[in-house]
Amino acid sequence: MTQAEIKLCSLLLQEHFGEIVEKIGVHLIRTGSQPLRVIAHDTGTSLDQVKKALCVLVQHNLVSYQVHKRGVVEYEAQCSRVLRMLRYPRYIYTTKTLYSDTGELIVEELLLNGKLTMSTVVKKVADRLTETMEDGKTMDYAEVSNTFVRLADTHFVQRCPSVPTTENSDPGPPPPAPTLVINEKDMYLVPKLSLIGKGKRRRSSDEDAAGEPKAKRPKHTTDNKEPIPDDGIYWQANLDRFHQHFRDQAIVSAVANRMDQTSSEIVRTMLRMSEITTSSSAAFTQPLSSNEIFRSLPVGYNISKQVLDQYLTLLADDPLEFVGKSGDSGGGMYVINLHKALASLATATLESVVQERFGSRCARIFRLVLQKKHLEQKQVEDFAMIPAKEAKDMLYKMLSENFISLQVGCQ
Amino acid sequence: MAEVKVKVQPPDADPVEIENRIIELCHQFPHGITDQVIQNEMPHIEAQQRAVAINRLLSMGQLDLLRSNTGLLYRIKDSQNAGKMKGSDNQEKLVYQIIEDAGNKGIWSRDIRYKSNLPLTEINKILKNLESKKLIKAVKSVAASKKKVYMLYNLQPDRSVTGGAWYSDQDFESEFVEVLNQQCFKFLQSKAEAARESKQNPMIQRNSSFASSHEVWKYICELGISKVELSMEDIETILNTLIYDGKVEMTIIAAKEGTVGSVDGHMKLYRAVNPIIPPTGLVRAPCGLCPVFDDCHEGGEISPSNCIYMTEWLEF
């Protein structure tokens, strides 16, 4: 972890959770994994406060724990996860574009609270939405539940690992810290709840009209008196799925820039069909047949099957190589070449940086060296058609800022 | 009985006869003969007599001495060349030979010195002599402007020396290259635009947005902006720079022999393209272009909180 990253984590933790959590969090990032007492001792904070801070951090998945032998539990901070907090606004905005306000608030609640049960989320979101609606209207729980189920189906929210249910009662002493597990198939399984109700507005007439100081009322916990039906099943936002979505968006816009709108829509359809079936680090999506793609095109996009086939052939033949043909059954099987697409996007980003920073002639030299791998001074001048003096100047400028490196060959 | 060694003088030991035989052999093998061949032909003459004959022929300028990887070769000299060199001595002939061998790439005076093992003053004298006789000429090389290479008078200098179409008098013509660059790009861009507007089925649209290198070459020739005649390869080097600019992409397709513009059965097609991403986020913020990026940190003299560019940028 670089100094700058640690400083950034410290600022983020302080802004979101306060001084104490920041102190504990930064200490863990700096020193790696430590047991509870060592943390308390090294930071000079009381055990109680350390426990509370760790609670907050674990709840938000910023700190993980592990039971070592001899029963020692060590806590470790995930610095990269802390940095993801910078992206919360983007995640929330993305959900808004996909699932409108309801989805936006669900994800916001999950991000701000770390982990929540479905019923809690539904209630909170319904209440918040009701606030913003006109007088007399309320938000129905069912609608919020539906959106929640849709979010779970498209994997934007996932279940948190939970305590495994042990069939036989373990005679030995319980472990110092539970090991949480989650079954692959259960990760997106929504429990069957029947949440019936409507959002409630916050009651505005709380104080006594006479102005007598009233004893602090207990919070409106009337609802909490009933046992929550899905206790123990907690949900969190699935950040990797959001990252996958951003990746898909980048690929689609690249295709739109290079080719045309229709091609990008086709690629978007293919990516949408592979959302769930392809893991996020795969090199290729699952092969999709042209017939399937035709059926899954967005409604209202009426292009004929032949035209679709033509577009698919063009996509597969394009020098971009984002789409490849993997077979001929079903009218042609096509895959999206994810690794190639990401590599091209990364290269284009680098070239864009060089272009803006040094100018278009330097960008020409940079692309040239990128393509040809190794070049001599004279070859650079000849291929790029830039006079020798200027070419030398540009190469040394890029060399001094470490964009290009020199390799001495034996003559 | 003691054996008497009798040296029988072979009948054709006459030196002139030997020389004539050697010349006949050389005519038989115009590419040159080795010493072995002469020996096989006239096995009865001794090595010394052979050597004398060969030396005489060399000094008379009728034979050329060459070195090959198998040994020494003797070759009949061109009669017209033999006439030219009359009056020049051996050293001049040697230098002339070296320059001739360098062909149209020319040879530097220092290299002549290495090959002939003659002192520098001699070389310079000889070169001046040959130049005045109009047998050789000096050409300035474009690679190193102070270097002069020598080549035979009537040879056209090779492209690597003069630089070809892009150099005029050893100066790289960058504006000319830039103009050609822009013209080619405009041509390809308008072709792609026309294809996009035509709104036909995508296959036809894509195929009509391509232009072969031959088409571009014809367009540039007709434009008449070049005073020098440009070949198709020249245009291809310009199109390559457009590829390195990221503005154009190229595909190679197989073409029937005989179709206009095809070389060795394939054709190069070029098409104007848009960049796949807009300028990236980092360089749209002031930090991406900042010259003191490495010195900037919170609490230092240069920091994000007191950066004037940042303040300006945030006030959009």
Side-chain angles (χ1 to χ4, degrees), chain A residues 357-375:
Chain A
R357 221 178 143 83
F358 300 113
S360 20
R361 300 181 111 193
C362 277
R364 193 193 285 182
I365 296 181
F366 187 77
R367 281 196 196 90
L368 169 63
V369 177
L370 209 56
Q371 273 187 31
K372 306 260 185 198
K373 308 273 187 288
H374 301 287
L375 281 177

Side-chain angles (χ1 to χ4, degrees), chain A residues 257-258 352 357 364 367, chain B residues 206 244-245 274 276 280 288:
Chain A
N257 282 334
R258 180 51 62 98
S352 164
R357 221 178 143 83
R364 193 193 285 182
R367 281 196 196 90
Chain B
R206 181 168 178 271
Y244 303 134
D245 278 335
N274 293 324
I276 61 172
T280 188

Side-chain angles (χ1 to χ4, degrees), chain B residues 168-183:
Chain B
S168 68
D169 303 325
Q170 322 308 322
D171 273 326
F172 183 71
E173 295 234 0
S174 12
E175 308 95 48
F176 179 48
V177 169
E178 274 307 304
V179 165
L180 278 179
N181 188 302
Q182 282 164 9
Q183 287 299 325

Side-chain angles (χ1 to χ4, degrees), chain A residues 299-355:
Chain A
V299 173
Y301 227 85
N302 29 0
I303 54 173
S304 72
K305 180 80 170 42
Q306 285 158 317
V307 175
L308 172 72
D309 282 334
Q310 284 186 341
Y311 270 111
L312 283 169
T313 321
L314 284 177
L315 277 167
D317 284 339
D318 197 81
L320 262 188
E321 288 181 29
F322 280 15
V323 176
K325 190 164 185 188
S326 72
D328 287 313
S329 54
M333 305 290 283
Y334 295 91
V335 290
I336 302 217
N337 195 340
L338 292 167
H339 279 189
K340 181 78 172 61
L342 289 172
S344 304
L345 286 167
T347 314
T349 312
L350 288 178
E351 290 165 8
S352 164
V353 172
V354 173
Q355 175 134 352

Side-chain angles (χ1 to χ4, degrees), chain B residues 42-61:
Chain B
M42 298 179 278
H44 41 267
I45 52 169
E46 292 168 16
Q48 200 189 20
Q49 289 172 300
R50 232 182 15 248
V52 164
I54 290 172
N55 275 332
R56 260 190 59 93
L57 287 170
L58 281 173
S59 59
M60 283 202 298

Side-chain angles (χ1 to χ4, degrees), chain B residues 65-130:
Chain B
L65 178 64
L66 302 163
R67 187 177 303 156
S68 76
N69 40 5
T70 45
L72 295 172
L73 278 178
Y74 307 105
R75 192 173 65 181
I76 195 81
K77 204 189 264 271
D78 249 333
S79 53
Q80 44 164 219
N81 270 352
K84 254 198 265 174
M85 295 305 280
K86 269 213 174 70
S88 332
D89 57 1
N90 270 343
Q91 285 180 331
E92 280 198 9
K93 279 192 232 163
L94 183 58
V95 171
Y96 184 78
Q97 179 100 37
I98 295 173
I99 294 179
E100 188 180 17
D101 286 338
N104 64 356
K105 288 216 168 32
I107 187 166
W108 195 21
S109 59
R110 188 184 283 183
D111 292 331
I112 300 179
R113 185 152 49 110
Y114 283 153
K115 284 208 173 153
S116 63
N117 289 325
L118 294 170
L120 188 59
T121 45
E122 275 293 321
I123 297 268
N124 286 340
K125 208 168 48 147
I126 295 172
L127 287 173
K128 277 210 180 43
N129 219 341
L130 290 169

